[in-house]
């Protein structure tokens, strides 16, 4: 089973992807994490991507696509994955679909997570990340066991520079502009399932699991 989790920054899809990945034993592929790991490890893609990031530019579609396609080509994704943060625009989605099509595979469902701007701003303000192992935390929803310390590796956790409320509204606007066609594309292909994320983490998780179960039981095919 192959799923895409789509939604604006701060909607909580990363947390949901991590939880559902564990609950349903489907590997989670976060394009943001892949990119950070690629840059840190100094891989070919990482080196190329860093040039754009250092200039304050977006990493080009071609680099992001080859990074994700390489990853999901690994044998551990043979029976499926949850893609989080990718595709980010229509072009990436079309390349993803044609790549999967060549392997006789397809995206089964796309979960589109939505929430009000107020909710998103509150969620982003609480986000923390471990820069050593890329584990994500949230001060309200997923606090570390020890304050400011990563549960997994013991390093300090930080707020990302672009997670401050002032830039969030700008990022939301950019996100909606970039994804309008993408949402339309998945809607047209009858893959889009909208999940309203104004509730708690566990309420949202229940909604996702019920859609999963009905899909697995064949009700949605
Ligand atoms: Zn860590």
């Amino acid at each position: 089973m192959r799923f895409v989790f789509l939604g604006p920054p701060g909607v909580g899809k990363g947390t949901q992807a991590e939880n559902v990945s564990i609950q349903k034993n489907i590997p989670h592929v976060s394009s943001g994490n892949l990119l950070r790991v690629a840059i840190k490890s100094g891989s070919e893609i990482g080196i190329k991507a860093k040039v754009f990031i250092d200039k304050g530019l977006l990493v080009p579609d071609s680099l992001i696509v080859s990074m994700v396609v390489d990853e999901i080509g690994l044998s551990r994704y043979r029976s499926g994955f949850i893609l989080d943060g990718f595709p980010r625009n229509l072009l990436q989605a079309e390349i993803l679909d044609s790549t999967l099509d060549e392997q006789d595979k397809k995206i089964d469902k796309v979960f589109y997570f939505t929430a009000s701007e107020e909710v998103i701003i509150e969620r982003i303000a609480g986000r923390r990340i471990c820069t050593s192992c890329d584990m994500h935390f949230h001060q309200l929803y997923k606090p570390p066991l020890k304050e400011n310390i990563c549960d997994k590796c013991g390093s300090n956790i930080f707020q990302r520079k672009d997670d401050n409320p002032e830039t969030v509204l700008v990022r939301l606007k950019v996100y909606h502009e970039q994804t309008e066609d993408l949402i339309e594309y998945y809607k047209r292909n009858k893959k889009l399932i909208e999940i309203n994320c104004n509730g708690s983490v566990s309420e949202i998780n229940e909604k996702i699991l019920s859609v999963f179960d009905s899909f697995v039981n064949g009700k949605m095919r």
Side-chain angles (χ1 to χ4, degrees), residues 71-155:
E71 179 73 14
I72 61 178
L74 300 175
S75 62
R76 64 191 169 111
Y77 302 107
R78 208 178 309 139
S79 54
F81 48 74
I82 297 171
L83 275 181
D84 161 20
F86 179 91
R88 188 104 195 202
N89 57 45
L90 182 58
L91 179 66
Q92 293 183 355
E94 287 173 341
I95 301 174
L96 174 66
D97 280 353
S98 65
T99 307
L100 289 173
D101 197 45
E102 283 165 18
Q103 303 163 11
D104 247 349
K105 294 171 182 167
K106 64 177 172 63
I107 296 296
D108 293 300
K109 289 287 165 199
V110 175
F111 289 78
Y112 178 41
F113 297 93
T114 58
S116 69
E117 278 182 354
E118 292 76 21
V119 167
I120 287 177
I121 287 169
E122 183 198 289
R123 286 195 186 148
I124 288 190
R127 295 209 299 205
R128 298 294 180 272
I129 186 169
C130 171
T131 49
S132 301
C133 75
D134 290 312
M135 192 80 186
H136 291 250
F137 297 92
H138 194 285
Q139 289 188 309
L140 292 178
Y141 308 114
K142 195 186 168 192
L145 296 172
K146 254 201 248 166
E147 204 181 344
N148 292 327
I149 301 292
C150 174
D151 294 349
K152 199 170 157 192
C153 76
S155 303

Side-chain angles (χ1 to χ4, degrees), residues 153-168:
C153 76
S155 303
N156 285 311
I157 58 175
F158 298 94
Q159 184 173 36
R160 290 198 332 221
K161 272 185 231 131
D162 56 352
D163 275 356
N164 69 79
E166 295 80 47
T167 59
V168 171

